[in-house]
Every structure is written in structure tokens, then in C-alpha cells.
Amino acid sequence: MKADKVAYWTDIADYDMETAEAMYQTGRWLYVAFMCHQVIEKILKAYWCSTQADDPPYTHNHKRLASGCGLYDLMTDEQKNFIEIVTNYNIEARYPEDRDALAQALTKQVCQKLIDETKRMQKWIKEQL
């Protein structure tokens, strides 16, 4: 049962990574950012399921997820900074008052870096499983 939950969250995180890359190919920068957020959220939930007796909380806050399952303490300062930045893409990509500012900040280069950093973080978390 525990392994099934870990596999579920890992598989959906992988799927979302593929979606982020597809959005990159089509120039949909807002969705690249949003999907990268989703990748990190879901791989954190996989880690949660592998280490905790209860299911992960219904939250999109990466720091809360990482802290709640003990992973945050294992992260470098760079990793902690990354999850705090990417957490914001969940809200900023959805709401009009934030969406325009985010759209201005996201470029092809920014999104490529975001995808690369997301892949590194996802790989690192998988290695902790």
C-alpha cells in the first residue's frame, strides 16, 4: 500500500515533468512554471508517503511538505530557496493580479533554467526515496 502511494505520486510527477517540457516546446511559459511547481509538489508527496504513516496534507506549499516529512532539514540552502520560489508559481500562474507580472518575468531562458532546476530537485528527492 505504501509503495503504491509512492509509485502514484512519483509517476504523476514524471508525467507533469513531461507536460512542463511540452509546454516549453510550445512557448507556454506560464504553464511551464505551473507544471514545474506541480512536479515538486508531487515528488514531495511521494517522499512524504515513503516516510510518514499518514497521507500528505492537502497543501501546495513545498516548504510545509518538505518540513512535515523531514526532508527540508536535508536540503541545501540552494534547494530550500528553489522550493520557496517554485511554490509561488502555483498561485501566480492562476490569479489575474499575479499572472501578468509573472508572464512578464518568464522568458524562454528563465523557463529552461526552471526546467533544469526542477529536474535536479526531482532527481535528488527520488534518490532520497
Side-chain angles (χ1 to χ4, degrees):
M1 177 102 153
K2 188 180 233 184
D4 291 341
K5 290 180 181 181
V6 173
Y8 167 79
W9 288 113
T10 302
D11 290 347
I12 200 163
D14 291 344
Y15 183 88
D16 287 350
M17 190 71 249
E18 291 173 13
T19 303
E21 291 175 318
M23 293 297 95
Y24 178 83
Q25 295 303 319
T26 60
R28 294 181 177 251
W29 311 136
L30 283 170
Y31 288 97
V32 170
F34 178 71
M35 294 314 299
C36 286
H37 165 90
Q38 292 293 297
V39 170
I40 300 304
E41 178 181 325
K42 291 169 184 170
I43 198 64
L44 284 169
K45 288 180 177 181
Y47 185 85
W48 182 292
C49 289
S50 76
T51 61
Q52 306 299 304
D54 57 334
D55 288 336
Y58 293 103
T59 184
H60 304 294
N61 185 304
H62 297 145
K63 184 178 180 182
R64 180 173 172 216
L65 287 167
S67 295
C69 62
L71 189 60
Y72 193 78
D73 292 337
L74 303 177
M75 291 181 177
T76 65
D77 289 342
E78 182 179 289
Q79 290 170 321
K80 290 174 182 177
N81 185 52
F82 175 71
I83 66 166
E84 289 182 31
I85 290 168
V86 81
T87 291
N88 294 326
Y89 294 151
N90 179 56
I91 295 170
E92 291 175 3
R94 289 186 182 191
Y95 297 100
E97 61 272 13
D98 298 317
R99 187 180 177 125
D100 291 340
L102 181 59
Q104 294 291 324
L106 293 173
T107 64
K108 183 175 185 174
Q109 294 78 18
V110 168
C111 286
Q112 183 61 63
K113 184 178 179 196
L114 179 58
I115 285 174
D116 293 344
E117 289 180 18
T118 299
K119 285 180 175 180
R120 273 194 296 278
M121 178 64 85
Q122 182 185 23
K123 181 177 184 249
W124 180 81
I125 295 171
K126 282 182 177 182
E127 290 168 354
Q128 310 309 306
L129 292 173

